[in-house]
Amino acid sequence: EQQFMLYCTGGIRCEKASAYLIQRHKIDPGSVFQLKGGINAYGGWLGGQSEFKSVFRGKNFQFDQRMVANEEQRLGEEVIASCHHCGAPCDDHTNCKNDRCHLLFIQCSDCSAAMDGHCSHSCIQDPEKAPNRGKLPKDLVPLYQWVSRGKLRRQ
């Protein structure tokens, strides 16, 4: 039987997701586990002790209205992403400065300076048209797929 380990930023979405798995997909409640308090609580716990090393890979990024990276709670040193423009190891999220686009993507500091925080040349050149409108420009390779808010996609 499969077991599920759920974690999220603060634990709230995990509650909803676990209830969804148990009620909708008839998963045994004993097979669904949650990280109490979410990844933020885990980071706080790690910072308060020295006996254990983090098993978390990557960077904790809150993609909701807070749009922050918790540098003070960096859970591991490994960078698992790369800049969408140049491919350099990077885990800094950027929200395209074009008000008609606002694509959330990975961009290193060099490319951010060169592109002035934009996702593509088209968003710089013609900000009124914003051909991307939150969609990945053709010259960028996606690193991950966003799932619509509130919906779980069964694989």
Side-chain angles (χ1 to χ4, degrees), residues 43-105:
W45 174 79
L46 279 173
Q49 58 83 41
S50 60
E51 185 178 342
F52 298 99
K53 289 190 175 187
S54 175
V55 295
F56 186 88
R57 294 179 60 221
K59 184 177 184 178
N60 183 24
F61 177 75
Q62 295 170 318
F63 56 88
D64 58 11
Q65 66 274 12
R66 293 169 284 185
M67 299 284 291
V68 296
N70 291 331
E71 287 296 336
E72 68 280 358
Q73 285 190 350
R74 189 162 186 92
L75 303 172
E77 296 305 315
E78 185 177 6
V79 175
I80 61 172
S82 59
C83 176
H84 277 87
H85 292 287
C86 69
C90 174
D91 55 9
D92 295 330
H93 289 76
T94 300
N95 188 7
C96 181
K97 282 188 175 179
N98 187 317
D99 285 335
R100 292 181 174 241
C101 178
H102 286 297
L103 177 71
L104 183 61
F105 64 105

